[in-house]
Amino acid sequence: MRGVRIYRGAIRWSLLLKPVFSMTKESVKFKAGIVMLVPVLILGLLSIFSPIYYKSWYFFPKDLPPSLSSVDLFLGTTSNGRSVFWATSNAILNSLVIAILTTLIASHLGLFIGIIAGYRGGLIDRTLMFITDSFVVIPSLPLLIILSMLLKEYLTLPLLSILISITSWPWPARQVRAIVVSLREREYIPIAMLSGLSHSKIVFKEIMPHLMGWHLINATNTVLYAIGSEVGLSILGLSILSEDTLGTMIYWSILGYGALFRGIWWWASPPIIITIIIFTALYLISTSIAEKIEPKLRWIR
Amino acid sequence: MTSFLRYIVIRVFYFFLTIFTAFSITYLLLRLMPVNAVENAIAQITAQGQVYDPQALIILRRQLYELFGLTGSPIDQYLRFLRSVFSLDFGPSIMAFPTPVMELIHRALPWTIGLLLFSVIISWVVGNILGILSAIKEGSWVSRILQGVAVTLHPLPYYVFALALIFLFAYLIPLFPLTGSSVYIERISIDVIIGIIRNATLPALSIIIVSALGWWFLSSRTLTIRMLGEDYVEYAILRGIPWRRIYRDYILKNIMMPQITALGLALGTVFSGAVITEALFAYPGLGILLFRAVSTGDFPTALGIVSLSIYGVAIGTLILDIIYPLIDPRVRHR
C-alpha cells in the first residue's frame, strides 16, 4: 500500500488559472493598459483584410502625405509607394507573432527549469542555477546580434523567436525558482509528500496555482523584451528585412530611406508611437498583476 | 581585514568562473548554429565586389577558421577559441582588412566608456534623488507627474526612446545634429570639445532620461515608501529625531544597498541598450562599429565587441562587489 490518497481524479486546470482571472478587475492601471492595448490589437488584426497589393512597390505614388480619401492612403504612402496603413497593420501583427512565439518558448522554458531547480534542490538546483546565472552575465543583445548575423540569410519569424528565446529564459527561471523554493518551506508541501501525493500532482496542484500570476507577469515582460529586441536587431539591420515588423519599418523608414530628414514623418512615426504604446500598456498590465498578487513587491517589474 | 581579503579573493574567483562559463556558452551557441560562419563571412566579403588578393583571402580564411575554432579536434577548437578570447586577439578585421580588430575597438572604446560612465552615474544619482523626494512629497502634483512619466519610460529600451528623441529634436526642434560628425581628437581645442558635446548630448540624454526617470526613480521611490512604513522609522519619528536625520541616516543608507545591487544587475542591459542607441545616433563608439561590422558581415569585429561586453559587464559587477563591503559593514564582518 502506498498510503492514503487524498486527492483523486484529474488535475483541475481551472484551479491553475483562477488566481489570474480573479486578479485585476478594479485596478486602474490594468484598465488603462487594456484601453491602450486594444486599439493596437484591433489595428494589428485588421491586417487580415490587407489587400493583395499591399506588398507591391510603387503601387501608389510615393511619399504621399496622409489623406482621408481612402483606407489605403489614410496614413500616406512610403518612399517605395506602399500604403503606410497596411504596412503598420501587418507590422503590428508580425511583431506580436514574434513576441508570442518567444513567450511560448522562453517563459515556459523558464517556468519548467525554475520548477525543476526549486523543487528538486541539491545538485540539480545548483547546476541549473549556475547555467542560468552564466546566461544572465552575457549581455543579451550583443549575443543576439552575432547569432542573427550568422543566420541572417535564413531568418524567419519562428527562427527569430527561437533566437530571442535563447537570451530571455534565464530571468523567469530565476524568479520561478525563488518562489518555488519559498513554497517548499511551507508545511503543506511536506505533508502532501508524506500523504503519498505524486511529484507531478504536487507540482501541478500545490505549486502551480501560486506560480500562475508570476508566470503571467513573466510572459508579459517577455513580450516586451521580444518586441524590444526585435526593434534593436532591426536598427542594426538584422531582422527579417523583407517582412513588415515594427522594427523593420523603423529600419527602412529612418535608416534606409532617411524619412525623417526628408520630412516624411507619417512613415517613421507610426511604428515608433505604436511601440511606445505597446510597451506602456503591457508594463501597466504586468505591474497591476504584480501589485495584486504581492502588494509588498510593488517595485518589481 | 583577513575576512575582507577572503571576500575579495572569492569575488575574483567568481569573476573568472563567470567569464569562463559565459565564453563557453557563447562558443557552444556559435558551434550549434547550422551554418558555416566562415564560408558565410567569406561569401559576404566577395559578394561586396571588392577585389581581394587571393593570397590574402587564403590567409583570412585560415585565420577565420582558427578564430571560430573550426580546425583540429573539438577540444583543440574550444581551447583555441578560449585563447583568442582571453588574449583579446581576434585577428584582422574584415571591414578594414589588414587592421586588427582590437585596433578598431581600441579607437571606439573611449567614446563608449565615456558615454556610459557619464550617463549611468548621472542617471543613478538623479533618479535616486528624485525618487526619494517624490516619496517624501507623496501626493503633490510634481510627484504625480513624475510618476506618470516614469510609468511610461520605465519599460522602454533606450533606443526606442532615442527614436522618439530623434523625432522630437531633429525633426520638430532642430537643435542637434542627427548623424554624428566623426571627431578626431588630435589636440584638445574648444572646437573638439563642442563637437564631443554635440555628438554625445542626444545619446546621453536618451540613456539618462529613461534610466533616471524610469528605473531608478521608480525603485528608489518604492523603497523609500516601504522604509517610511518600517517600525524603526516610526520609532525614530516618535523619539522626535529631526526629519533631516531620519532621511539621511535611516532611509538613505538603507536604500543605497539594494540600489547598488540593482546597478550591478542593470549593467548588462545598460550596455546592450547603449550600443544600439549609439548606432542610431552614429555616435563614434562601439555601437557604430558594431553596426558597420554587421552590415559588412565582419564576424571577427562583432565577436570582439561581444567578448568585450561580456568582460565589461563582469568587471562592472566585480567592482561593485568590491565596493560593497566598504558601504555595508554587515558584508565586511560576515
Side-chain angles (χ1 to χ4, degrees), chain A residues 130 134-135 138-139 141-142 145 150-151 154 228 232 235-236 238 250 260-261 263 265 279-280 283-284 299 301, chain B residues 21 25 30 33 35 37 40 151-152 154-155 157 159 163 167 171 178 218 222 226 272 276 290-291 294 299 306 309:
Chain A
F130 184 71
S134 316
F135 265 96
I138 307 178
L141 260 168
I145 287 164
L150 283 176
L151 295 171
Y154 315 96
I235 287 172
L236 296 174
L238 283 175
I250 290 169
L260 281 180
F261 301 105
W265 53 268
F279 267 85
T280 313
Y283 173 69
L284 284 172
W299 57 282
R301 268 200 287 171
Chain B
T21 326
I25 289 174
L30 285 177
M33 288 295 125
V35 286
N40 209 343
V151 167
T152 319
H154 175 84
Y159 41 87
L163 287 167
F167 189 69
Y171 180 66
L178 265 192
L218 277 184
T222 340
R226 217 198 289 173
S272 314
I276 297 191
L290 188 60
F291 182 72
V294 165
F299 287 98
V306 171
S309 60

Side-chain angles (χ1 to χ4, degrees), chain A residues 40-48 50 86-100 157 244-246 274 278:
Chain A
V40 175
L41 287 182
I42 290 174
L43 186 57
L45 288 177
L46 277 181
S47 65
I48 299 166
S50 46
W86 291 120
T88 312
S89 171
N90 280 281
I92 294 171
L93 192 74
N94 284 331
S95 279
L96 285 178
V97 166
I98 293 175
I100 288 166
L157 293 182
D244 286 307
T245 66
L246 291 173
I274 283 169
I278 292 179

Side-chain angles (χ1 to χ4, degrees), chain A residues 164-209:
Chain A
I164 299 176
S165 303
I166 291 177
T167 56
S168 58
W169 62 267
W171 286 105
R174 277 166 67 113
Q175 198 196 19
V176 166
R177 180 207 167 250
I179 298 165
V180 173
V181 165
S182 79
L183 285 176
R184 263 184 73 94
E185 300 294 307
R186 299 192 195 169
E187 280 159 11
Y188 71 92
I189 301 280
I191 290 177
M193 279 179 186
L194 288 174
S195 57
L197 208 60
S198 67
H199 286 308
S200 64
K201 274 198 177 161
I202 293 177
V203 167
F204 278 108
K205 290 187 94 156
E206 306 296 345
I207 291 180
M208 282 287 239

Side-chain angles (χ1 to χ4, degrees), chain B residues 13-178:
Chain B
F13 173 71
Y14 270 112
F15 166 75
F16 282 110
L17 195 64
T18 39
I19 289 185
F20 176 75
T21 326
F23 283 133
S24 305
I25 289 174
T26 313
Y27 174 77
L28 264 181
L29 285 174
L30 285 177
R31 283 311 310 276
L32 284 176
M33 288 295 125
V35 286
N36 184 335
V38 176
E39 293 308 324
N40 209 343
I42 302 257
Q44 278 193 41
I45 302 163
T46 41
Q48 276 158 16
Q50 279 166 285
V51 183
Y52 278 90
D53 180 15
Q55 198 70 39
L57 213 59
I58 291 169
I59 295 171
L60 179 68
R61 178 176 274 133
R62 207 188 60 225
Q63 271 160 340
L64 279 177
Y65 268 105
E66 275 182 14
L67 176 65
F68 281 89
L70 292 173
T71 48
S73 69
I75 307 246
D76 275 358
Q77 296 177 4
Y78 177 55
L79 290 179
R80 209 167 292 143
F81 177 84
L82 282 186
R83 200 180 59 209
S84 69
V85 163
F86 274 108
S87 63
L88 287 178
D89 176 17
F90 301 96
S93 66
I94 294 177
M95 59 172 144
F97 174 55
T99 323
V101 168
M102 276 324 284
E103 200 182 313
L104 292 179
I105 291 182
H106 187 76
R107 256 182 248 159
L109 198 59
W111 290 91
T112 297
I113 290 182
L115 176 70
L116 273 182
L117 274 185
F118 177 74
S119 43
V120 163
I121 292 173
I122 297 267
S123 61
W124 193 80
V125 171
V126 171
N128 276 312
I129 291 175
L130 283 179
I132 295 169
L133 286 180
S134 120
I136 292 170
K137 301 277 177 204
E138 172 77 351
S140 69
W141 61 271
V142 180
S143 166
R144 254 182 262 157
I145 289 176
L146 279 177
Q147 261 173 277
V149 173
V151 167
T152 319
L153 291 181
H154 175 84
L156 285 185
Y158 305 130
Y159 41 87
V160 173
F161 184 67
L163 287 167
L165 271 191
I166 290 182
F167 189 69
L168 203 70
F169 274 111
Y171 180 66
L172 295 177
I173 322 163
L175 268 179
F176 299 101
L178 265 192

Side-chain angles (χ1 to χ4, degrees), chain A residues 37-285:
Chain A
L37 195 60
V38 165
V40 175
L41 287 182
I42 290 174
L43 186 57
L45 288 177
L46 277 181
S47 65
I48 299 166
F49 304 109
S50 46
I52 37 167
Y53 51 76
Y54 95 94
K55 265 196 167 181
S56 41
W57 287 24
Y58 305 113
F59 188 86
F60 300 103
K62 62 180 187 177
D63 297 339
L64 280 185
S67 65
L68 291 174
S69 55
S70 75
V71 178
D72 294 341
L73 301 179
F74 180 58
L75 289 173
T77 61
T78 69
S79 292
N80 42 27
R82 294 176 53 200
S83 157
V84 174
F85 179 80
W86 291 120
T88 312
S89 171
N90 280 281
I92 294 171
L93 192 74
N94 284 331
S95 279
L96 285 178
V97 166
I98 293 175
I100 288 166
L101 282 178
T102 308
T103 309
L104 285 180
I105 302 167
S107 64
H108 286 86
L109 190 65
L111 183 73
F112 182 66
I113 289 176
I115 287 178
I116 290 184
Y119 187 73
R120 296 296 297 270
L123 188 65
I124 295 176
D125 181 23
R126 264 174 282 152
T127 317
L128 284 176
M129 278 307 109
F130 184 71
I131 296 171
T132 313
D133 286 347
S134 316
F135 265 96
V136 170
V137 179
I138 307 178
S140 50
L141 260 168
L143 183 66
L144 262 183
I145 287 164
I146 47 169
L147 290 183
S148 45
M149 247 176 108
L150 283 176
L151 295 171
K152 196 176 173 186
E153 314 291 316
Y154 315 96
L155 278 182
T156 56
L157 293 182
L159 185 59
L160 193 59
S161 324
I162 292 173
L163 286 186
I164 299 176
S165 303
I166 291 177
T167 56
S168 58
W169 62 267
W171 286 105
R174 277 166 67 113
Q175 198 196 19
V176 166
R177 180 207 167 250
I179 298 165
V180 173
V181 165
S182 79
L183 285 176
R184 263 184 73 94
E185 300 294 307
R186 299 192 195 169
E187 280 159 11
Y188 71 92
I189 301 280
I191 290 177
M193 279 179 186
L194 288 174
S195 57
L197 208 60
S198 67
H199 286 308
S200 64
K201 274 198 177 161
I202 293 177
V203 167
F204 278 108
K205 290 187 94 156
E206 306 296 345
I207 291 180
M208 282 287 239
H210 295 277
L211 291 177
M212 287 325 278
W214 289 112
H215 187 47
L216 197 66
I217 294 169
N218 284 335
T220 323
N221 289 336
T222 312
V223 169
L224 287 185
Y225 176 82
I227 292 177
S229 302
E230 197 271 328
V231 171
L233 283 178
S234 306
I235 287 172
L236 296 174
L238 283 175
S239 187
I240 314 157
L241 293 179
S242 56
E243 286 285 343
D244 286 307
T245 66
L246 291 173
T248 53
M249 260 186 99
I250 290 169
Y251 174 81
W252 285 120
S253 61
I254 294 178
L255 295 152
Y257 284 84
L260 281 180
F261 301 105
R262 298 186 297 125
I264 306 170
W265 53 268
W266 55 88
W267 184 14
S269 54
I272 301 177
I273 292 168
I274 283 169
T275 312
I276 293 177
I277 291 177
I278 292 179
F279 267 85
T280 313
L282 287 180
Y283 173 69
L284 284 172
I285 291 174

Side-chain angles (χ1 to χ4, degrees), chain B residues 168-228:
Chain B
L168 203 70
F169 274 111
Y171 180 66
L172 295 177
I173 322 163
L175 268 179
F176 299 101
L178 265 192
T179 45
S181 48
S182 46
V183 182
Y184 291 107
I185 307 169
E186 282 158 4
R187 55 194 155 80
I188 300 296
S189 69
I190 294 175
D191 282 352
V192 169
I193 294 172
I194 289 176
I196 293 173
I197 292 174
R198 275 170 70 91
N199 268 326
T201 307
L202 277 185
L205 261 188
S206 49
I207 297 174
I208 290 173
I209 292 179
V210 170
S211 56
L213 283 181
W215 301 355
W216 306 125
F217 172 80
L218 277 184
S219 54
S220 73
R221 191 188 118 81
T222 340
L223 282 170
T224 312
I225 289 176
R226 217 198 289 173
M227 290 297 160
L228 283 171

